[in-house]
Amino acid sequence: MDWLSNPDIWIGLLTLTSLEIILGVDNVIFISILSDRLPEKQRKRARTLGLGLAMFMRIGLLLSINWVTGLTEPLFHIAGHGFSGRDLILLGGGLFLIAKATLEIHANLEGEEHVQSAGGKAVSFTGVIVQILILDIVFSLDSVITAVGMAEEVGVMIAAVVIAVIVMMISAGPISDFVQKHPTVKMLALSFLVMIGFSLVVEGWGLHIPKGYIYAAMSFSVLVEVLNLQAAKRRGKKTEPVQLRPDLEAPK
């Protein structure tokens, strides 16, 4: 129990938990957008199940650190660049995220009825969970590799993951409601997912983009959108129409 009085452990837990929450924002947005296409009574269950799967997947990866570390070893080379198992997962996940976000943008612009009439299939609960699971694999791998590089105690890493997922479960509902209520915010979130997918593809090719740049751009865009929403809210407050006195009304 000496770890309870070790300030380094607590600082590491706080730092890692904060980072896990920041890295999990992408996951929450994706899950929220996907679950919003389900009937209202299934949305909360889909969000909870999706985040729960992400938590157990990350814990499983943390307990298999040797295997995760082995994913960084090159499997083959193309044009002098070695591709590891992690690179392949990032490439596949990034392409999937770009494709899925693009389809969601198309569905929002054209309307769900237009997409289905053009041959698209209606979403199902199982289909949504499968899509969430695919992205959970990508985000979980990136999260675990980051955690391994920042902490040495597996218990600290697991605690950080559990706390972060609990925070995400609590915030997923309000985030989903806010995104659903404001179509421009939803479109901005989908654009973020395209950008994140592109960064995953680029990283899979060995070109690292510091996540600080990505999150800084996202934060600035969110700030601008908040200002736009405030401006639209003010414009929406129309003044009451002036009622003419009966004796001043124009003759009919």
Side-chain angles (χ1 to χ4, degrees), residues 71-121:
L71 288 176
T72 59
E73 296 297 326
L75 299 176
F76 57 89
H77 292 76
I78 296 180
H81 173 67
F83 287 88
S84 64
R86 175 179 178 270
D87 293 335
L88 296 179
I89 293 175
L90 292 178
L91 281 170
L95 291 174
F96 174 80
L97 190 56
I98 292 173
K100 187 59 187 176
T102 302
L103 291 174
E104 289 291 331
I105 292 174
H106 176 73
N108 279 272
L109 292 177
E110 298 292 342
E112 192 66 34
E113 296 81 4
H114 174 81
V115 174
Q116 294 183 15
S117 64
K121 297 181 180 179

Side-chain angles (χ1 to χ4, degrees), residues 5 38 49 65-66 92 105 108 124 132 144 166-168 177 180 188 228-229:
S5 59
L38 292 170
L49 182 57
I65 291 180
N66 291 334
I105 292 174
N108 279 272
S124 65
I132 290 174
V144 167
I166 291 175
V167 172
M168 288 188 284
D177 294 339
Q180 188 69 16
L188 183 62
N228 285 334
L229 291 175

